[in-house]
Amino acid sequence: GAVVSQHPSRVICKSGTSVKIECRSLDFQATTMFWYRQFPKQSLMLMATSNEGSKATYEQGVEKDKFLINHASLTLSTLTVTSAHPEDSSFYICSARRQGAGEQYFGPGTRLTVT
Amino acid sequence: AQTVTQSQPEMSVQEAETVTLSCTYDTSESNYYLFWYKQPPSRQMILVIRQEAYKQQNATENRFSVNFQKAAKSFSLKISDSQLGDTAMYFCAFIPSYNTDKLIFGTGTRLQVFP
């Protein structure tokens, strides 16, 4: 149990376009989902925390108008990178926390390349 | 500040041997969660082991065990009978209180298992 999927696994887009990444908890309900960004050979940087049915909470320095997060149900959260630029190229990882549990379960990640 | 420190950027071990990865953390809370996550080359984050701070008994999951020293704020991971598939980046992480969802990560230790 506790499987989290992420789609797509890789995406290449042109500068100025928008990209949507989906994160789904497949076999449990996630009251809270998280979005991280990971640069090469570095740790995970938390971008935002999203709770089902409410607005996401963004970490300091993360532009909420650029990284739109929607948590429409207890099993789905989406991250939309709007007007993407090459500096947005990165590895994006989502995670989900099961209700009543402490640990987070992670999706396999999405590699975004903006050309 | 609530932080996690992993002082060993890289470690190596021979197959079948035992290796210990160190981790210290800082919090003023008495109730919190501690975790070790593994990130293999696939980049999928995998939960290795968890420990709740109120539990004195060290957590064990098959070949993985922890040495939790609450007073010293130390949470080391021991991997016994190392296997080639243990080669990965290992992140120590914690949720510093029961009042937050945020997972705070260390900088990681890259473990290489040699045949």
Side-chain angles (χ1 to χ4, degrees), chain A residues 38-42 90-91 93 107-109 111, chain B residues 38-45:
Chain A
Q38 187 178 31
F39 293 100
K41 298 188 178 181
Q42 292 189 24
S90 192
F91 193 67
I93 308 175
R111 174 164 299 288
Chain B
K38 168 185 176 181
Q39 188 178 40
S42 67
R43 302 191 78 172
Q44 168 76 63
M45 293 285 285

Side-chain angles (χ1 to χ4, degrees), chain A residues 23 30 44 62 72 88 108:
Chain A
C23 177
L44 279 68
V62 178
D88 299 325

